[in-house]
Amino acid sequence: MTSLHTTSVRRRRLGVAAAAVGLIATLLTAGPAAATPDPGDTATTRGGASASRQAEVRAAIEDGEIPGVDEIVHSGNIEHLTNVPKDALRGINTDLAFQGDYAYAGNFDGFRIFDISNPREPRTVAQVLCPGSQNDISVSGNLLFLSTDSSRSDDSCASTAQPATEKSSWEGMKVFDISDKRHPEYVAAVETACGSHTHTIVPERGNVYVYVSSYSPNETFPDCRPPHDGISVIKVPRSAPQDARVVNFPVLFPDGGNPGAPANPGVSRTTGCHDITVLPSKDLAAGACMGDGLLFSIEDPENPKIIDRVQDNVNFAFWHSATFNQKADKVVFTDELGGGGAATCNDEVGPRRGADGIYDITGRGDHRKLVLRSYFKIDRPQADTEVCVAHNGSIIPVKGKDLMVQAWYQGGVSVWDFTDSSKPKEIAYFERGPVSTDAVTTAGPWSAYYYNGYIYSNDIAKGFDVLKLHDRRTDPARKVRLPELNVQTQPDYFRR
């Protein structure tokens, strides 16, 4: 049964103070945050919860302050159209890309292609087994790009896990031909330093440039030794993708980047970037790079140039992702507090730690600056067994408004308005109750994106969800139709 609640109903202090203090202390003293759950075949990661935490979660469910285990709740202006559970690929669901009537869903075990011509009844077209976390995914024309950031025995889809300390191990980018959606063909592989945790494409007529983000070098890794202070740039010829190769490794942090602890306790040391979003129509990119946020020019895509760099050593632990507004005068950066493995959406952690940071872009040209205006974090109460973290989202294209849909793991899907960058507010939501009342569990939406009138969400554990908004503030977006969407390659929604 689906419960309907408004955003203003459910407010409650969850989690005992002692437990929260312990969590914060752990985050402050730990090393660099892990960016994703550990690779594996299971859909969730679990850690034991104390008896007091378990009791409080059960009491909150009984009181109706949070939804029950796996119970669906949402605001009245969102409709849950359908869910498609996992099938052959049992690993962790990850990112999404779109093209025409198709959605491409990453999974630690490979990727899945859906026919979404009828969004109420998505149909599976293909499932490709190709293990290699986290299988971040993009599409352009007849090419599909897949990131491998776990050390493998070789570059094939039949590879097995192998220690990164072995020189023969492989990590990097894979390229598939998707001319035949039912039978994708693996056509190229490019090894990159420290693998490919995420990637971002910059499409051109004859070539596709791929910015590869990776981090956490180690002296014992032959192909990933420090310093690792930049990104790999791959050039993929559309007519000959087998000739794809690395053409540059621009150094983004000549000073080494944020040093992290002990100079900046609770902040990840910068050893590369986690994710980059480009806005090709403005020749701009924003980089979320562990301890640093970047604004840079991609006028020459092979040679990106830094315009501005910021840090937030008070409230940000791990700069995770970035989203421009359509006018390119704002950037939303997300903070992955706890590395996607901690319950951080509660009163004890507070509204600024583990939040989105909203930055205005001021000035012109090479003199532009990122200026922090405010933070946004969902304030719907979450159980202390629910891993809740700011994660992947996209713009909802409405002229004159800055609206965004965003995944928050077990915090669900949030729709929010940052038109006034100093006063962001949630306007809609969808979420499920805790996966467990007795263990801290990683689950919930990894990505939530708006595409051609619908919200599509890839839930780590539950599968592929389709939602529809019914709200006068977002309704104009239904008129905007895109032939293709890779969210980290933001389109100009209104120049078409």
Side-chain angles (χ1 to χ4, degrees):
M1 180 177 180
T2 299
S3 301
L4 299 180
H5 298 285
T6 61
T7 339
S8 60
V9 170
R10 294 164 49 237
R11 298 286 184 272
R12 187 175 187 267
R13 178 179 291 272
L14 290 177
V16 294
V21 170
L23 167 64
I24 293 172
T26 299
L27 294 174
L28 291 178
T29 58
T36 65
D38 291 333
D41 295 329
T42 56
T44 58
T45 57
R46 293 172 179 263
S50 67
S52 59
R53 276 190 174 186
Q54 295 179 39
E56 178 146 344
V57 172
R58 288 192 291 270
I61 291 173
E62 291 172 3
D63 291 345
E65 301 294 343
I66 62 174
V69 173
D70 286 340
E71 180 188 6
I72 291 176
V73 297
H74 55 80
S75 54
N77 53 356
I78 276 189
E79 180 185 0
H80 185 209
L81 299 184
T82 193
N83 169 265
V84 183
K86 292 181 183 180
D87 190 16
L89 305 178
R90 306 306 298 173
I92 293 170
N93 281 334
T94 59
D95 211 4
L96 294 168
F98 305 90
Q99 191 179 67
D101 288 334
Y102 296 94
Y104 302 82
N107 180 285
F108 272 41
D109 288 340
F111 64 93
R112 188 174 182 179
I113 303 177
F114 292 99
D115 180 337
I116 54 171
S117 55
N118 180 357
R120 294 179 181 272
E121 296 182 1
R123 294 185 297 106
T124 298
V125 173
Q127 299 185 71
V128 177
L129 179 64
C130 196
S133 66
Q134 57 188 19
N135 281 334
D136 196 45
I137 194 167
S138 297
V139 293
S140 182
N142 289 328
L143 299 179
L144 179 147
F145 303 89
L146 207 62
S147 287
T148 298
D149 193 35
S150 63
S151 186
R152 312 297 298 180
S153 56
D154 55 50
D155 64 6
S156 76
C157 285
S159 68
T160 57
Q162 181 169 289
T165 52
E166 295 189 23
K167 176 61 179 172
S168 63
S169 295
W170 185 91
E171 301 179 60
M173 286 299 308
K174 295 170 181 169
V175 184
F176 290 78
D177 186 316
I178 51 171
S179 302
D180 182 349
K181 303 293 189 292
R182 296 184 178 277
H183 300 96
E185 180 184 0
Y186 185 10
V187 295
V190 181
E191 187 170 14
T192 55
C194 299
S196 174
H197 190 71
T198 66
H199 70 270
T200 303
I201 64 171
V202 184
E204 295 189 338
R205 180 171 295 179
N207 304 296
V208 179
Y209 287 97
V210 185
Y211 293 163
V212 176
S213 296
S214 54
Y215 53 93
S216 294
N218 190 299
E219 289 287 359
T220 67
F221 300 164
D223 298 319
C224 181
R225 289 193 172 114
H228 184 69
D229 47 14
I231 58 174
S232 298
V233 179
I234 298 174
K235 185 177 182 178
V236 185
R238 290 188 186 275
S239 60
Q242 67 275 9
D243 294 335
R245 62 187 179 90
V246 175
V247 294
N248 197 9
F249 187 88
V251 173
L252 304 179
F253 304 98
D255 65 351
N258 197 318
N264 298 317
V267 178
S268 293
R269 180 169 67 93
T270 298
T271 60
C273 289
H274 178 273
D275 209 350
I276 292 169
T277 292
V278 297
L279 188 59
S281 63
K282 305 289 186 182
D283 288 330
L284 278 179
C289 302
M290 303 180 74
D292 295 86
L294 299 181
L295 180 70
F296 47 99
S297 166
I298 58 167
E299 187 173 0
D300 177 356
E302 287 192 25
N303 298 282
K305 182 177 71 173
I306 302 298
I307 296 173
D308 194 25
R309 170 181 158 195
V310 291
Q311 296 177 355
D312 182 343
N313 295 320
V314 175
N315 291 310
F316 262 47
F318 188 95
W319 295 66
H320 175 273
S321 53
T323 304
F324 288 100
N325 70 335
Q326 184 59 47
K327 290 183 179 180
D329 58 8
K330 298 174 189 173
V331 182
V332 173
F333 287 102
T334 67
D335 175 22
E336 194 181 45
L337 177 66
T344 63
C345 296
N346 52 44
D347 289 347
E348 284 71 28
V349 173
R352 292 188 171 186
R353 293 277 288 167
D356 296 325
I358 303 164
Y359 285 75
D360 283 355
I361 301 174
T362 63
R364 295 183 178 180
D366 290 347
H367 300 289
R368 283 172 284 191
K369 296 292 182 183
L370 293 166
V371 180
L372 177 64
R373 293 302 187 200
S374 66
Y375 299 93
F376 171 77
K377 186 176 181 180
I378 60 171
D379 59 357
R380 289 172 281 109
Q382 306 298 314
D384 280 333
T385 57
E386 292 184 283
V387 170
C388 174
V389 66
H391 225 242
N392 295 349
S394 76
I395 291 297
I396 299 175
V398 175
K399 282 187 176 181
K401 298 288 185 181
D402 294 324
L403 305 172
M404 186 171 175
V405 58
Q406 185 177 0
W408 286 80
Y409 275 28
Q410 287 196 75
V413 174
S414 175
V415 179
W416 58 290
D417 185 335
F418 63 104
T419 306
D420 182 342
S421 54
S422 64
K423 296 180 180 178
K425 59 183 179 180
E426 184 174 73
I427 62 174
Y429 72 90
F430 167 90
E431 69 168 288
R432 291 179 171 90
V435 170
S436 169
T437 60
D438 57 12
V440 180
T441 308
T442 297
W446 178 289
S447 301
Y449 298 146
Y450 188 93
Y451 176 68
N452 290 354
Y454 298 87
I455 292 171
Y456 297 91
S457 170
N458 211 17
D459 189 289
I460 290 169
K462 301 298 183 183
F464 185 68
D465 285 304
V466 185
L467 311 172
K468 189 167 186 179
L469 281 164
H470 301 278
D471 192 294
R472 59 180 177 77
R473 293 165 289 191
T474 60
D475 285 348
R478 297 180 188 175
K479 299 177 182 178
V480 178
R481 312 295 293 183
L482 299 177
E484 190 171 274
L485 177 64
N486 300 287
V487 168
Q488 287 74 36
T489 306
Q490 284 190 225
D492 186 331
Y493 288 98
F494 303 113
R495 187 193 295 173
R496 54 189 62 253

